């Protein structure tokens, strides 16, 4: 499967406006100024935002807080009021919108309405799903919503392998959902969404890497991407860590223990261009703060612009520039490693 797709790239570039280009330039410039001076400055507004449709999920994946039901924060659904209010505020600068953080997006009954709303603002929209709810009706609605990118998690090509990570999942149901999307994309003569099979490489499924490429081609998926897995208890080894080095975020050190490959340099672009918003309106630094421990603001009581430029956000950016090793969510971060192989 090709790693570059011209139509999808052109679709993303079509979202550019003079204002978005200028905003992106300001954001990138402020990041490099901050990196070089070790002093946090922020110009412009996010070029990308992740919204969490829900923390609920139908599966029990072993390295996922949502699957493990391990959250200390409440479970719930993103409401259209917070979503629309925030999108109205930032859409003119925003280029890319990810409808995913934790949970299964299609469990939120308003999910596709929110996609339609964001698409209507000329924003590139993407989501990630386990495809169990892509029945014929939802598949058609997905195409009609204007969704630009659909990532489908397929972590095995046989039920036996698939369910070792996607605990409680049904591979045939996920494949049926994938076929429904491909079918309606053709039926409606739509160029979107760009359909990706995401294969999270772990030791139990690494022998099926070639098989998933064939499966994707048979179904008519646009691309296969192999993602390295984040593992929480990795120091003394973990049965999920793959044996193929290029697909692992971890390596053995001289003591025989595993360590993350990232050098944890004291900078991170995510703090300057890509915040995450939880289902209940909390703004957190990035997708590694899965339990929303570092709450930089609350959209129920403040506007996004107030939060983005607040001292709390500025101080967190400064802490990253000073020492990422002292920030808990950074210690198992993939920044500086290849997440996609």
């Amino acid at each position: 499967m090709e790693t570059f797709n011209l139509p999808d790239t052109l679709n993303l570039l079509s979202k550019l406006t003079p204002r978005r280009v200028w905003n992106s330039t300001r954001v990138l410039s402020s990041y490099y100024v901050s990196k070089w001076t070790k002093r946090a400055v922020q110009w412009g507004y996010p070029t990308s935002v992740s919204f969490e449709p829900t923390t609920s999920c139908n599966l029990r994946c072993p390295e996922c807080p949502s699957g493990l039901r391990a959250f200390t924060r409440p479970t719930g659904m993103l409401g259209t009021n917070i979503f629309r209010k925030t999108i109205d505020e930032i859409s003119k600068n925003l280029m890319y919108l990810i409808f995913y953080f934790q949970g299964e997006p299609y469990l939120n009954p308003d999910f596709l309405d929110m996609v339609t709303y964001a698409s209507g603002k000329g924003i590139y929209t993407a989501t990630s799903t386990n495809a169990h709810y892509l029945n014929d009706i939802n598949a058609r609605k997905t195409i009609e919503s204007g969704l630009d990118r659909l990532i489908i998690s397929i972590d095995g090509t046989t039920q036996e392998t698939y369910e070792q990570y996607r605990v409680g999942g049904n591979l045939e149901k996920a494949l049926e959902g994938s076929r429904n999307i491909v079918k309606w994309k053709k039926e409606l003569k739509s160029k979107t969404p760009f359909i990706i099979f995401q294969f999270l490489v772990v030791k139990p499924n690494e022998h099926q890497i070639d098989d998933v490429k064939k499966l994707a081609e048979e179904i008519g998926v646009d691309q296969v991407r192999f993602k390295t897995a984040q593992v929480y208890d990795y120091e003394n080894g973990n049965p999920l860590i793959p044996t193929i080095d290029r697909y692992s975020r971890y390596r053995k050190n001289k003591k025989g223990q595993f360590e993350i490959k990232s050098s944890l340099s004291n900078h991170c672009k995510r703090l300057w261009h890509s915040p995450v918003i939880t289902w209940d309106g909390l703004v957190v630094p990035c997708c590694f703060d899965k339990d929303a421990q570092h709450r930089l603001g609350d959209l129920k009581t403040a506007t996004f612009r107030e939060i983005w430029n607040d001292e709390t956000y500025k101080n967190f950016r400064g802490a990253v520039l000073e020492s990422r090793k002292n920030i808990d969510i950074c210690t198992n971060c993939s920044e500086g490693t290849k997440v996609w192989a």
Side-chain angles (χ1 to χ4, degrees):
M1 287 283 156
E2 59 186 6
T3 55
F4 172 79
N5 183 274
L6 182 59
D8 181 54
T9 302
L10 291 175
N11 179 35
L12 177 60
L13 292 176
S14 74
K15 311 298 182 182
L16 284 172
T17 63
R19 180 164 174 168
R20 286 173 180 166
V21 171
W22 173 236
N23 179 67
S24 298
T25 302
R26 295 182 71 206
V27 170
L28 194 61
S29 298
S30 66
Y31 164 69
Y32 280 111
V33 168
S34 300
K35 179 181 174 182
W36 295 331
T37 64
K38 297 298 179 183
R39 178 175 150 271
V41 295
Q42 177 66 55
W43 303 323
Y45 292 93
T47 57
S48 171
V49 167
S50 295
F51 261 100
E52 179 179 61
T54 181
T55 42
S56 301
C57 190
N58 54 310
L59 303 186
R60 301 287 192 278
C61 302
E63 292 297 316
C64 173
S66 185
L68 292 170
R69 309 303 190 259
F71 288 123
T72 60
R73 62 188 177 102
T75 296
M77 303 282 179
L78 174 65
T80 56
N81 289 340
I82 284 181
F83 174 75
R84 291 194 177 198
K85 173 178 168 287
T86 307
I87 290 299
D88 288 346
E89 186 183 357
I90 66 175
S91 62
K92 290 181 180 178
N93 294 307
L94 191 64
M95 179 87 172
Y96 199 112
L97 176 55
I98 304 165
F99 284 96
Y100 183 73
F101 180 26
Q102 298 298 298
E104 168 52 47
Y106 280 86
L107 285 172
N108 187 324
D110 297 319
F111 165 57
L112 291 175
D113 289 336
M114 288 187 273
V115 174
T116 301
Y117 191 77
S119 296
K121 301 279 187 181
I123 303 168
Y124 186 99
T125 55
T127 196
S128 180
T129 178
N130 59 48
H132 282 58
Y133 297 96
L134 286 176
N135 54 39
D136 205 53
I137 293 173
N138 280 342
R140 176 167 186 158
K141 286 182 177 179
T142 298
I143 307 300
E144 293 173 337
S145 72
L147 184 73
D148 293 290
R149 174 171 293 205
L150 180 66
I151 300 170
I152 298 173
S153 297
I154 300 290
D155 301 329
T157 59
T158 60
Q159 178 62 27
E160 181 183 9
T161 301
Y162 176 80
E163 67 185 2
Q164 288 189 62
Y165 189 80
R166 296 287 160 185
V167 178
N170 184 306
L171 176 61
E172 188 47 48
K173 197 166 187 178
L175 295 179
E176 180 186 352
S178 304
R179 293 187 184 100
N180 286 339
I181 283 287
V182 171
K183 180 190 80 171
W184 279 111
K185 187 177 174 182
K186 290 178 180 176
E187 288 272 340
L188 298 174
K189 296 181 173 57
S190 177
K191 294 180 180 179
T192 57
F194 183 63
I195 308 167
I196 298 173
F197 265 6
Q198 179 176 287
F199 195 88
L200 187 71
V201 182
V202 288
K203 189 174 181 180
N205 69 14
E206 62 184 5
H207 64 289
Q208 293 184 339
I209 285 173
D210 289 333
D211 295 337
V212 76
K213 294 177 185 177
K214 296 174 185 174
L215 183 60
E217 192 171 352
E218 289 171 9
I219 291 176
V221 169
D222 297 308
Q223 187 183 94
V224 177
R225 299 183 79 179
F226 298 99
K227 187 177 182 182
T228 62
Q230 178 187 11
V231 177
Y232 289 99
D233 297 319
Y234 60 84
E235 288 89 351
N236 297 313
N238 186 297
L240 291 174
I241 296 177
T243 61
I244 306 172
D245 182 67
R246 68 175 296 200
Y247 296 115
S248 177
R249 295 188 191 184
Y250 311 94
R251 63 187 169 207
K252 273 191 176 181
N253 58 28
K254 293 179 180 178
K255 296 179 181 179
Q257 291 184 311
F258 284 87
E259 62 183 14
I260 192 165
K261 291 177 180 177
S262 170
S263 60
L264 278 185
S265 300
N266 294 329
H267 55 84
C268 181
K269 288 181 182 176
R270 299 181 197 212
L271 270 296
W272 275 259
H273 75 82
S274 186
V276 172
I277 300 171
T278 66
W279 70 268
D280 52 350
L282 300 177
V283 179
V284 298
C286 73
C287 60
F288 280 87
D289 191 6
K290 294 176 171 39
D291 206 20
Q293 296 172 333
H294 301 276
R295 301 176 180 187
L296 304 177
D298 189 340
L299 290 168
K300 294 188 295 296
T301 57
T303 67
F304 183 86
R305 289 171 184 263
E306 289 170 341
I307 294 168
W308 187 244
N309 295 305
D310 189 74
E311 282 298 310
T312 305
Y313 224 127
K314 184 178 179 180
N315 291 339
F316 195 89
R317 293 185 187 107
V320 167
L321 295 170
E322 184 177 340
S323 177
R324 284 177 70 211
K325 291 180 180 179
N326 292 332
I327 302 174
D328 54 352
I329 60 172
C330 296
T331 56
N332 197 4
C333 175
S334 59
E335 187 78 12
T337 65
K338 289 183 68 176
V339 179
W340 303 98

